[in-house]
Amino acid sequence: MDVKAAPNGVATIEDRILRITGYYGYYPGYSSQKSTSRSSVTRCKPGANCPSSHSGISRQLSPLSVTEDSSAPILELQSRGSSGVCVHRVEKQNRPGDDGTQTHPENSSQENRIKARCLSCMSVVLKAIWGLLIILSVSSSWVGTTQIVKITYKNFYCPFFMTWFSTNWNIMFFPVYYSGHLATAQEKQSPMKKFRECSRIFGEDGLTLKLFLKRTAPFSILWTLTNYLYLLALKKLTATDVSALFCCNKAFVFLLSWIVLKDRFMGVRIVAAIMAITGIVMMAYADNFHADSIIGVAFAVGSASTSALYKVLFKMFLGSANFGEAAHFVSTLGFFNLIFISFTPVILYFTKVEHWSSFAALPWGCLCGMAGLWLAFNILVNVGVVLTYPILISIGTVLSVPGNAAVDLLKQEVIFNVVRLAATIIICIGFLLMLLPEEWDEITLRFINSLKEKKSEEHVEDLTDVSVHLRSRSRANGTVSIPLA
């Protein structure tokens, strides 16, 4: 039954119903276009051509079908059945990612993120392995140097000559560095070019005679004093006591940096400095304030003090240095020692302060072993900063204390009483407290807060799981909980 068109343009009853019910996608003339689309499938005789394929398809599209995915490309397909019916079909081409699969750029970005994480983990693992090796190497070289000095003192006691001889070996520091540069660098430089590049530690003009005398002289004197006082202390005290007292240089570095360089004040480092001073007093008391013990403690503390002054002045005048600049500077100290300090052992020889019968009688094996291990220690300290974390170098230094203690116990040269053992432990704890970073309190608070948040999240998850379990049980039993008003 046909219905005449109403004044508002609604032609059929179906259009009126759709307009009243608010059907999605309705517009005036919806039913007429729908009837047209129903009659768009026409029957053709076999062998006949289908009429107006493209124009018919353009009329078949309703606004509802377009609004489903207006950005999807539409493919027009025409097929002929066996019964001779020509059917026009409209199909949508699936876009990448419509079926729930990830696109290729997303996969590649995820793979890149995974590779970056793997590389970062590998770098951390390699740094840790290098750190472990360097810790063992640093502590072993320092223990070996100290024990060889003790062995040399049995037949040969010339501490200043030993200091001068071992300092001359610093000249080989830069050649060792340049050999590593040739072995590892892709763009190799000539020795003179590398030498000029590393000499920038003295300034933009490089190393001049004035700077050589002005900057090298004080550091060379401090270097010689540090090693000379350390060797003098080894004559009075055991290797364990001297190595433990030398660890106090960290506390002295902090105090001097706080006073001279105006570094940040840290209460924990003040506590560490107090512990170091307490250990020094207890170490002197361990032998009931014996004369040799007090003198030996004074020599060891003086060696730690000059070492701290060397480090603070280096930071003040030269700043931070990379591996090449440090190698250049240490080699320059060796040259200065060979040129300007060589007259001191000659004077001591002729004044019979440090005298030996002939050069053939010198224990060259022990002297070369001591100098070689001392050079290896200095190289490892500077290489370790490049290859691993600097804190591990300091840990390697403090591990020389138990290393020397083990060797002294095997040689039966030391008897650990309660006071000496307590002093050694207090000094080592103070040294480790000095290694805490400046923001250690903030880092600790953030770590504690993260643990609290993690525990609270786990507690909330447990409560959620329990509530879900109770609801599932109540539904299974057929009970219904009615909330109270």
Side-chain angles (χ1 to χ4, degrees):
M1 180 180 66
D2 294 335
V3 180
K4 294 182 181 179
N8 57 359
V10 179
T12 62
I13 296 177
E14 184 178 0
D15 283 342
R16 293 181 181 180
I17 294 172
L18 292 176
R19 180 173 176 271
I20 294 171
T21 57
Y23 178 73
Y24 176 75
Y26 165 76
Y27 62 97
Y30 174 84
S31 59
S32 60
Q33 184 169 357
K34 185 176 178 183
S35 61
T36 305
S37 63
R38 286 176 182 174
S39 62
S40 61
V41 178
T42 58
R43 291 185 175 272
C44 300
K45 295 181 180 180
N49 294 327
C50 293
S52 62
S53 59
H54 294 286
S55 59
I57 289 178
S58 62
R59 289 192 300 268
Q60 291 172 16
L61 297 178
S62 65
L64 181 60
S65 65
V66 173
T67 55
E68 286 180 352
D69 195 352
S70 60
S71 61
I74 299 174
L75 298 181
E76 298 179 357
L77 300 178
Q78 180 178 353
S79 63
R80 183 183 300 273
S82 58
S83 60
V85 179
C86 292
V87 181
H88 296 285
R89 295 187 309 229
V90 179
E91 294 186 3
K92 290 189 299 180
Q93 184 181 4
N94 291 330
R95 292 181 301 172
D98 285 345
D99 55 350
T101 59
Q102 295 182 347
T103 59
H104 180 69
E106 293 177 354
N107 291 332
S108 61
S109 62
Q110 186 175 3
E111 291 177 358
N112 292 333
R113 286 195 296 269
I114 293 173
K115 290 180 180 179
R117 290 178 183 176
C118 292
L119 290 176
S120 62
C121 293
M122 285 295 296
S123 63
V124 171
V125 171
L126 288 177
K127 270 197 169 186
I129 294 173
W130 277 113
L132 180 61
L133 294 176
I134 288 179
I135 283 175
L136 297 176
S137 302
V138 167
S139 59
S140 301
S141 60
W142 192 243
V143 170
T145 302
T146 306
Q147 295 298 329
I148 289 177
V149 170
K150 297 289 287 186
I151 294 171
T152 308
Y153 278 171
K154 295 179 179 179
N155 301 319
F156 182 76
Y157 179 67
C158 295
F160 194 88
F161 175 79
M162 295 167 65
T163 303
W164 173 82
F165 181 78
S166 61
T167 306
N168 288 335
W169 282 52
N170 288 340
I171 299 173
M172 294 186 291
F173 200 153
F174 186 80
V176 171
Y177 162 74
Y178 185 73
S179 300
H181 165 74
L182 292 179
T184 58
Q186 295 180 354
E187 297 181 359
K188 298 176 176 57
Q189 300 178 0
S190 62
M192 289 304 299
K193 185 177 181 181
K194 196 67 179 176
F195 186 83
R196 292 193 189 96
E197 178 183 341
C198 295
S199 64
R200 292 177 183 174
I201 188 174
F202 294 98
E204 295 296 332
D205 298 332
L207 182 61
T208 60
L209 181 60
K210 181 180 178 180
L211 288 175
F212 176 73
L213 297 175
K214 182 180 178 181
R215 295 291 176 87
T216 310
F219 291 105
S220 181
I221 293 171
L222 289 174
W223 182 287
T224 303
L225 275 176
T226 300
N227 296 338
Y228 180 59
L229 292 173
Y230 188 84
L231 296 184
L232 287 176
L234 286 174
K235 183 65 176 179
K236 304 293 183 180
L237 300 175
T238 62
T240 306
D241 296 344
V242 176
S243 58
L245 290 169
F246 188 76
C247 289
C248 296
N249 68 339
K250 276 285 183 182
F252 299 151
V253 167
F254 165 69
L255 293 175
L256 289 174
S257 300
W258 180 38
I259 296 170
V260 178
L261 301 179
K262 307 299 181 183
D263 281 358
R264 178 184 174 186
F265 174 81
M266 292 182 61
V268 66
R269 292 187 179 177
I270 289 293
V271 173
I274 295 173
M275 293 178 69
I277 296 171
T278 304
I280 292 170
V281 176
M282 292 177 66
M283 193 69 72
Y285 177 75
D287 294 328
N288 295 324
F289 291 101
H290 192 267
D292 288 342
S293 177
I294 294 175
I295 295 173
V297 170
F299 286 150
V301 173
S303 177
S305 302
T306 52
S307 174
L309 184 60
Y310 174 93
K311 294 178 180 178
V312 172
L313 291 179
F314 187 93
K315 186 177 180 180
M316 179 186 295
F317 293 107
L318 301 177
S320 60
N322 55 31
F323 184 34
E325 293 173 347
H328 182 281
F329 185 76
V330 175
S331 295
T332 306
L333 292 181
F335 275 109
F336 186 91
N337 180 80
L338 180 63
I339 296 171
F340 294 99
I341 304 181
S342 296
F343 68 92
T344 306
V346 174
I347 293 173
L348 294 176
Y349 175 80
F350 286 107
T351 56
K352 301 299 179 71
V353 176
E354 291 186 0
H355 186 75
W356 56 90
S357 58
S358 64
F359 284 97
L362 293 176
W364 291 110
C366 292
L367 291 176
C368 292
M370 176 198 68
L373 286 175
W374 221 324
L375 176 64
F377 174 79
N378 293 322
I379 292 175
L380 288 170
V381 167
N382 290 278
V383 170
V385 176
V386 178
L387 296 179
T388 185
Y389 305 100
I391 191 174
L392 299 180
I393 309 301
S394 301
I395 293 175
T397 304
V398 77
L399 285 179
S400 63
V401 178
N404 280 315
V407 176
D408 287 344
L409 287 174
L410 291 175
K411 293 165 60 178
Q412 297 180 353
E413 291 185 357
V414 63
I415 299 174
F416 282 102
N417 54 23
V418 178
V419 179
R420 177 178 279 109
L421 184 61
T424 304
I425 293 174
I426 288 173
I427 292 174
C428 292
I429 292 174
F431 183 90
L432 294 176
L433 288 177
M434 285 290 175
L435 301 181
L436 291 175
E438 293 185 356
E439 299 83 6
W440 70 274
D441 50 351
E442 298 177 1
I443 295 172
T444 305
L445 290 175
R446 285 200 299 267
F447 179 72
I448 294 173
N449 291 331
S450 64
L451 289 179
K452 290 181 179 179
E453 291 176 358
K454 187 176 181 180
K455 288 183 179 179
S456 62
E457 289 176 359
E458 291 177 354
H459 182 65
V460 170
E461 290 177 358
D462 292 339
L463 292 177
T464 305
D465 294 339
V466 170
S467 62
V468 171
H469 180 66
L470 291 176
R471 288 177 183 175
S472 61
R473 288 185 60 185
S474 62
R475 290 174 182 174
N477 294 331
T479 58
V480 180
S481 59
I482 302 174
L484 297 176

